[in-house]
């Protein structure tokens, strides 16, 4: 796992270093996080193609703030952002965190009081870490998902992100329910940017399709003033 | 309930003990295994248990109706209806929204943009496998290759038997149903085979496939535009090893688990990366699907005549295209199938011409020339060179086409190909360990086959506790060297 961390850091640092000054674009957006962040970054790349906005992906699939033994975001992102020139940093993280946390040999089950306290501590610590970068910071909450159980967890986790972000005067972007159909239930389908009904969420009930990620990116870009 | 988990181990232990306790009571044993299989399926999503039962009963009734009719036209209509119903079921769950999405693209292209009636459909796990088993059953009854099964319990167990239910291998009724009526025997060799297959599967899935996926393939395929050329090239090789280790592992564990319950499944993979032609590769890769496609797609397309020329090529191409689409409702799979179909057509064309040319040379050569001058008898180098070229082209065609198989959409695949050529850069994620794991995993395909069977024969005489220790320590060793956690099997999504 150590070699994986080193390799990931190398990739993140490489991306940042190579994203910088030469082409001197006015906006450089670093999208940080897991596979949902990757969807957002891909959508931004599509939407901003040919425009003076550079998108830097700092994404690692199947990671989060719970399994720090597997991938430590604090150690990785701090070094990566220090070497880059991103003037906007957008974070989407937590999609894989609805699972037990192990602290000193104890198992804290998701959404218990102790779990929430420990998770809030980790989120706060990560926000402090990433807050040391030079860019404007935005934390994007988790989207609604097909699974009711997971959705319940995500709502509680979003409340934690929102609270911790407010404590640090960090802008929180709420996307919950923003890609739903009119009847307000979770739906895999919605309006594309071209204004036609398309499948916007993948069959896994969580991730975004090619059309969906553009809708996702458009919503977040507007929320953070990029469009 | 994934195979390499404590939940499955506990479940299997209960099933194993109870099934052998019921060894002499065949009907009770079948009922128990049926209940266990439905529990296994319902553990994921109980809502689709009715669908599984409905599919089994429908095909059972269709088999009886087909066999009961002596009128050939009626038989033909019945089998066509049953097949259409099975395909309709699969089409609804798997392809409806893909069709609507493609129709949306078409209306946009024609400038008559319309909102299509998309439906919120959840794909039932294993549906591609159990509908294919249903189709093969009714068609085999129609072809009079098997007799219809009288008992709905037998039919339901054939369709839902848990080792093969969610990700194959696609078991044939003619092979499995007769085994249900024999008193099962648990020989030392069967136990040893079962244990070795399970250990082999666990090693491939939880160690090799996992390391390759986590350390190289997933990061590279998630961001191909930001990976180096070296990593992209390495990841596309590693990916075919991952798919092989993942899916053949599932097959191994399924075949091993069935063996421990006293049933025999046929081999589903046989060292496919050591083959020197694409035709050969498809005879050794996912054998149960390849033979299914041959028997239930290619042969009906061909009809009674043995076609040659363009009709045969068209049928080969269409069979592979359908095989591609079977893997998923996505244009990436259609292209993957089309690549394999086209390549098989080209390969057959070249082989036919090569064969004709060699025949004409033999006809022109004076009698005894091959023996006396050796001109037509290939030297070892002359024999090796075409084999190597055949392997090289086959393997690379397979690995390059797999980029479409792995990519979530066409733009990612295109980006992958572009970056592989233009990105430059050295190995950042491809560690010596990952490279060695990839090369070694391909290398074992060149070893002689049947090694596991020989070992099973040799250790089959060991006592029960000794074999138990082998399994226990083997699993422990795999747990120690493998990374933590279990990723879902790739073929679950199909």
């Amino acid at each position: 796992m150590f070699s994986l961390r080193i390799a990931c850091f190398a990739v993140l640092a490489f991306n940042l270093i190579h994203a910088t000054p030469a082409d001197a674009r006015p906006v450089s957006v670093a999208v940080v996080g897991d596979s949902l962040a990757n969807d957002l970054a891909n959508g931004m790349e599509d939407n901003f193609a040919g425009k003076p906005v550079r998108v830097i992906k700092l994404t690692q699939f199947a990671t989060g703030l719970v399994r720090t033994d597997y991938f430590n975001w604090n150690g990785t992102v701090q070094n990566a952002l220090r070497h880059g020139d991103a003037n906007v940093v957008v974070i989407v993280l937590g999609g894989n965190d609805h699972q037990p946390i192990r602290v000193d040999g104890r198992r804290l089950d998701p959404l218990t009081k102790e779990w929430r306290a420990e998770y809030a501590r980790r989120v706060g610590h990560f926000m402090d870490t990433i807050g040391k970068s030079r860019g404007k910071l935005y934390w994007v909450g988790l989207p609604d998902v097909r699974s009711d159980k997971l959705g319940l967890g995500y709502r509680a986790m979003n409340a934690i992100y929102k609270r911790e972000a407010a404590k640090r005067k960090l802008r929180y972007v709420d996307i919950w329910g923003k890609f739903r159909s009119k009847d307000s239930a979770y739906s895999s389908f919605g309006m594309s940017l071209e204004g036609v009904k398309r499948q916007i969420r993948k069959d896994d009930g969580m991730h975004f399709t090619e059309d969906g990620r553009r809708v996702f990116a458009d919503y977040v870009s507007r929320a953070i003033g990029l469009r | 309930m994934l195979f390499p988990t404590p939940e499955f181990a506990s479940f299997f232990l209960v099933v194993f003990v109870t099934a052998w306790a019921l060894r002499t009571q065949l009907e009770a044993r079948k009922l128990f295994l049926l209940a266990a299989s439905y529990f296994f399926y319902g553990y994921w999503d109980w809502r689709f248990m009715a669908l599984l039962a409905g599919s089994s009963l429908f095909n059972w009734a269709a088999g009886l109706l087909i066999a009961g009719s002596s009128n050939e036209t009626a038989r033909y209509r019945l089998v066509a209806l049953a097949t259409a119903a099975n395909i309709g079921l699969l089409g609804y769950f798997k392809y409806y929204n893909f069709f609507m999405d493609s129709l949306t693209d078409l209306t946009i292209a024609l400038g008559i943009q319309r909102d299509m009636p998309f439906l919120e459909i959840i794909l039932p796990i294993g549906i591609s496998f159990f509908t294919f088993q249903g189709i093969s059953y009714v068609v085999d009854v129609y072809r009079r290759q098997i007799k219809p099964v009288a008992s709905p319990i037998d039919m339901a167990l054939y369709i839902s038997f848990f080792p093969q239910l969610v990700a194959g291998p696609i078991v044939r009724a003619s092979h499995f149903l007769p085994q249900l009526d024999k008193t099962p025997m648990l020989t030392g060799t069967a136990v040893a085979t079962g244990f070795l297959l399970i250990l082999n599967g666990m090693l491939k899935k939880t160690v090799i496939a996992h390391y390759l996926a986590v350390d190289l393939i997933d990061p590279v395929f998630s961001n191909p535009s930001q990976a180096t050329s070296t990593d992209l090239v390495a990841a596309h090789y590693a990916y075919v090893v991952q798919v092989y280790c993942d899916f053949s592992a599932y097959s191994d564990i399924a075949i091993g688990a069935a063996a421990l319950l006293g049933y025999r499944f046929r081999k589903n993979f046989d060292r496919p990366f050591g083959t020197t032609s694409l035709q050969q590769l498809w005879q050794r890769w996912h054998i149960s699907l390849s033979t299914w496609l041959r028997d239930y797609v290619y042969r009906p397309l061909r009809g009674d005549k043995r076609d040659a020329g363009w009709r045969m090529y068209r049928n080969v191409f269409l069979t592979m295209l359908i095989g591609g689409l079977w893997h998923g409702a996505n244009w990436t799979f259609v292209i993957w199938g089309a690549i394999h179909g086209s390549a098989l057509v080209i390969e057959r064309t070249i082989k036919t011409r090569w064969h004709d040319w060699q025949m004409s040379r033999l006809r022109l050569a004076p009698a005894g020339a091959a023996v006396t001058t050796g001109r037509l008898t290939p030297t070892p180098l002359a024999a090796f060179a075409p084999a190597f070229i055949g392997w090289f082209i086959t393997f690379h065609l397979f690995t390059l086409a797999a980029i479409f198989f792995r990519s979530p959409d066409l733009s990612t695949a295109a980006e992958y190909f572009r970056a592989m050529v233009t990105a430059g850069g050295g190995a950042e994620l491809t560690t010596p360990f990952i490279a060695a794991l990839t090369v070694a995993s391909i290398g074992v395909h060149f070893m002689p086959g049947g090694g596991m069977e020989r070992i099973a024969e040799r250790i089959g005489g060991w006592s029960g506790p000794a074999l138990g220790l082998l399994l226990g320590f083997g699993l422990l060793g795999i747990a120690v060297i493998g990374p933590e956690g279990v990723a879902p099997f790739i073929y679950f999504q199909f």
Side-chain angles (χ1 to χ4, degrees), chain B residues 84-96 123-124 126-132 135 326 494:
Chain B
N86 276 300
I87 293 172
L89 184 77
L90 187 61
Y92 171 75
F93 280 103
K94 198 164 172 175
Y95 302 106
Y96 177 83
L123 184 66
I127 190 169
S128 304
F129 292 92
F130 68 73
T131 46
F132 267 31
I135 291 170
W326 175 86
F494 305 142

Side-chain angles (χ1 to χ4, degrees), chain B residues 11 20 132 244 352:
Chain B
F11 164 80
W20 286 109
F132 267 31
Y244 169 76
T352 308

Side-chain angles (χ1 to χ4, degrees), chain A residues 5 27 30 47-48 74 85 89 91 93 98 115 127 133 135 140 150 152 157 164 171 175 177 191 203 217 219:
Chain A
R5 278 184 221 129
V27 182
N47 291 351
F48 291 126
N74 286 296
D85 76 335
V89 178
I91 306 143
L93 198 58
H98 188 254
W115 187 93
M127 285 177 176
S133 73
V140 178
L150 201 58
L152 201 70
M157 288 155 72
E164 293 302 315
R171 176 98 188 266
I175 60 166
M191 286 298 163
D203 291 337
Y219 182 84

